[in-house]
Amino acid sequence: MSIVTEGDRRRGAPEPPRRGADTNAGPTSARTHGRAGGRRPKLPEDQAALAQRRYDEREKTVRQIADTFSERGSTMYGHLDRDKSLPRQHTKTAATKPSR
């Protein structure tokens, strides 16, 4: 990296580019060429739709769905839209002794 001195400035030498000056140049260029940016989803759309359907129908747990696709549970939670599905109904369990 070169150091620009006061004498260089007086002679009209070009200054080196400032750090961070064109921070948004890369993403802007990508958008103009039709690329959105960000990570690609781990699951293809058809697998994500199947996982969502199984989750909505309460057919399988998130862990079981993740095992089906050889993924982690956290990956599945990223693909599932839990706001659209009905809340899970708790089942009654056997009566337990009251704690003292």
Side-chain angles (χ1 to χ4, degrees):
M1 182 172 190
S2 64
I3 298 174
V4 180
T5 64
E6 193 62 36
D8 292 334
R9 284 194 193 102
R10 277 188 253 128
R11 286 191 292 267
E15 288 191 37
R18 289 180 289 152
R19 281 187 169 179
D22 292 325
T23 303
N24 293 326
T28 303
S29 174
R31 279 190 293 277
T32 60
H33 290 93
R35 292 184 289 275
R39 273 193 165 183
R40 290 183 180 158
K42 233 34 215 251
L43 292 179
E45 286 183 29
D46 58 333
Q47 288 182 350
L50 176 61
Q52 184 69 48
R53 190 172 69 241
R54 287 183 177 168
Y55 181 76
D56 291 342
E57 293 171 356
R58 303 294 187 246
E59 188 177 314
K60 304 231 180 233
T61 65
V62 174
R63 181 76 234 165
Q64 290 169 334
I65 296 169
D67 288 341
T68 304
F69 297 113
S70 301
E71 294 294 339
R72 298 169 70 190
S74 58
T75 300
M76 295 311 303
Y77 278 111
H79 284 282
L80 296 175
D81 187 5
R82 293 170 295 181
D83 293 333
K84 289 184 180 177
S85 61
L86 297 172
R88 212 175 261 284
Q89 299 296 320
H90 294 289
T91 58
K92 291 184 179 181
T93 59
T96 59
K97 294 181 182 178
S99 60
R100 295 179 190 196

